[in-house]
């Protein structure tokens, strides 16, 4: 398997692939790969001639330096996991200088308001960081298709908006959330949870499922109250936000309208570990 560190080396490969009319699938990640990431890679492999996986812990999307420092970095193990699926994947694992030179900073984007909802309220500058790195990676990889998880649903909507606004010729493919057997959404951060906390955190998905069940009969306000109380009675978990929002523009629901799609979103802390999850309601 090829592991490239320099963008010029990758650009060269991309040029050769384009010349040979090979379609390119791209899966951007921050590494510490788990089944969720691997499901994206498998989907990319099944629909594209060649797949590029980037592994880069992007400093500009972290608003919390402690989280950035503690983020797991296990490149060798990541490569092994990819190799078990396919030896043909190109892994791009650049040092920070390749992506940012000697100035680590974000560009400023407008995502037509998507950036002010949910994560945007709690993680300052996060989506400018995401936009910056994904735009730069797209310029290098020039993918036909790029695969993003619904686990980070707001990010998925933001990337679709980035592609639309920048006029990029990339199909953004949303992929279903991969869960642990107890329902907890897989995340690289789960590795830092104690076994007890990992069990407790499964309640996040149980709550989302309950909300989905009651969405037809209860108002958003009633459900919000119920979710808040449920978290208050749950030791070990602290709710940061619960929202029911339009699945397209992510604006919080006022009145349910027919023919509109909605999703419920939760961000919560288990100790110092921040977890997010969401579910389609209709
Ligand atoms: P990350 O390494 O956390 O930046 O994630 C890289 C990509 O994998 C993003 O598109 C995520 O949405 C996606 N991803 C992470 N966890 C999951 C999961 N449990 N199920 C599906 N996709 C996921």
């Amino acid at each position: 398997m090829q592991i490239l560190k320099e963008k010029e080396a990758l650009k060269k490969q991309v040029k050769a692939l384009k010349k040979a009319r090979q379609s390119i699938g791209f899966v951007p990640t921050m590494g510490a790969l788990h089944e969720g990431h691997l499901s994206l890679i498998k989907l990319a492999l099944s629909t594209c001639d060649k797949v590029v996986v980037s592994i880069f812990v992007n400093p500009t999307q972290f608003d919390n330096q402690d989280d950035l420092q503690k983020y797991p970095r296990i490149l060798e193990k990541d490569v092994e996991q990819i190799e078990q699926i396919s030896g043909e994947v190109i892994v791009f694992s650049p040092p920070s200088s390749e992506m940012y030179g000697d100035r680590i900073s974000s560009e400023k984007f407008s995502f037509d308001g998507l950036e002010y909802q949910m994560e945007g309220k709690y993680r300052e500058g996060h989506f400018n960081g995401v936009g910056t790195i994904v735009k730069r990676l797209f310029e290098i990889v020039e993918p036909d298709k790029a695969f993003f998880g619904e686990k980070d649903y707001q990010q998925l909507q933001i990337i679709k908006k980035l592609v639309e606004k920048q006029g990029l010729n990339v199909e953004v493919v949303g992929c279903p959330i991969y869960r642990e057997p107890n329902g907890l959404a897989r995340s690289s951060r789960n590795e830092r949870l104690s076994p007890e906390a990992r069990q407790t955190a499964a309640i996040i998905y149980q709550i989302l499922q309950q909300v989905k069940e009651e969405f037809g009969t209860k108002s958003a306000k009633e459900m919000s109250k119920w979710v808040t109380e449920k978290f208050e009675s749950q030791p070990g978990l602290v709710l940061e936000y619960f929202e029911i929002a339009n699945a397209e523009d992510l604006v919080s629901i006022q009145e349910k309208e027919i023919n509109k799609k909605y999703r419920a979103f939760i961000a919560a802390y288990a100790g110092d570990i921040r977890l997010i999850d969401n579910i389609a309601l209709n």
Side-chain angles (χ1 to χ4, degrees):
M1 196 162 67
Q2 287 192 72
I3 304 163
L4 305 176
K5 304 245 171 235
E6 289 164 13
K7 56 183 183 217
E8 284 312 320
L10 181 53
K11 277 186 180 172
K12 224 168 139 184
Q13 295 269 341
V14 167
K15 208 170 164 189
L17 289 166
K18 299 265 171 203
K19 207 170 163 198
R21 297 193 176 278
Q22 300 265 294
S23 63
I24 301 176
F26 180 39
V27 183
T29 82
M30 297 205 296
L33 301 185
H34 51 66
E35 288 294 335
H37 297 113
L38 300 182
S39 69
L40 268 59
I41 298 172
K42 284 178 193 162
L43 190 61
L45 282 164
S46 70
T47 53
C48 302
D49 296 321
K50 195 77 186 174
V51 172
V52 177
V53 176
S54 64
I55 296 180
F56 179 65
V57 182
N58 175 35
T60 58
Q61 71 187 70
F62 284 80
D63 59 333
N64 177 332
Q65 287 309 303
D66 189 47
D67 192 24
L68 172 61
Q69 261 151 31
K70 286 187 179 153
Y71 205 86
R73 291 163 175 84
I74 44 169
L75 182 61
E76 260 177 46
K77 208 170 147 215
D78 289 343
V79 170
E80 265 171 38
Q81 289 204 76
I82 298 172
E83 205 134 45
Q84 275 170 17
I85 305 175
S86 163
E88 297 296 309
V89 170
I90 299 175
V91 173
F92 180 50
S93 164
S96 178
S97 56
E98 277 294 295
M99 301 310 300
Y100 287 102
D102 53 13
R103 192 161 171 272
I104 298 179
S105 64
S106 296
E107 294 169 44
K108 302 255 179 302
F109 294 90
S110 160
F111 297 116
D112 292 350
L114 287 170
E115 70 273 35
Y116 301 125
Q117 308 299 334
M118 298 179 287
E119 295 295 285
K121 290 183 199 153
Y122 292 90
R123 302 185 69 187
E124 213 196 316
H126 174 66
F127 289 121
N128 279 328
V130 170
T132 301
I133 194 64
V134 172
K135 184 174 156 221
R136 288 181 192 183
L137 287 167
F138 278 1
E139 280 163 7
I140 300 166
V141 181
E142 295 181 52
D144 297 281
K145 294 185 184 192
F147 298 81
F148 290 84
E150 289 182 346
K151 157 84 170 36
D152 302 284
Y153 189 86
Q154 188 172 5
Q155 171 175 279
L156 171 64
Q157 293 304 99
I158 292 242
I159 301 299
K160 285 183 181 165
K161 185 63 76 180
L162 176 82
V163 164
E164 179 195 314
K165 292 197 109 176
Q166 304 273 330
L168 305 175
N169 196 14
V170 184
E171 182 190 341
V172 177
V173 182
C175 308
I177 302 174
Y178 198 97
R179 300 181 178 280
E180 301 196 357
N182 69 8
L184 176 65
R186 291 294 313 249
S187 162
S188 305
R189 290 185 179 88
N190 293 359
E191 302 309 314
R192 291 177 47 219
L193 294 169
S194 68
E196 300 79 56
R198 215 161 167 145
Q199 213 39 53
T200 309
I203 199 174
I204 296 172
Y205 183 50
Q206 289 162 18
I207 289 174
L208 286 173
Q209 282 176 307
Q210 189 73 31
V211 168
K212 184 184 176 113
E213 235 169 71
E214 298 192 9
F215 182 66
T217 53
K218 295 223 168 87
S219 71
K221 206 172 162 193
E222 279 171 313
M223 277 183 282
S224 190
K225 186 167 174 281
W226 177 78
V227 171
T228 305
E229 284 167 6
K230 196 88 185 148
F231 270 91
E232 278 168 4
S233 68
Q234 184 62 52
L237 281 180
V238 176
L239 180 66
E240 185 166 59
Y241 65 74
F242 166 74
E243 292 217 7
I244 295 179
N246 181 306
E248 288 301 314
D249 61 20
L250 305 181
V251 173
S252 226
I253 190 171
Q254 300 298 328
E255 295 283 326
K256 279 178 232 170
E257 289 174 51
I258 36 171
N259 295 331
K260 292 262 167 75
K261 295 262 176 248
Y262 296 103
R263 290 184 91 94
F265 298 82
I266 284 179
Y269 278 91
D272 66 339
I273 299 161
R274 190 170 184 276
L275 302 167
I276 58 170
D277 200 351
N278 69 90
I279 196 167
L281 295 177
N282 57 348

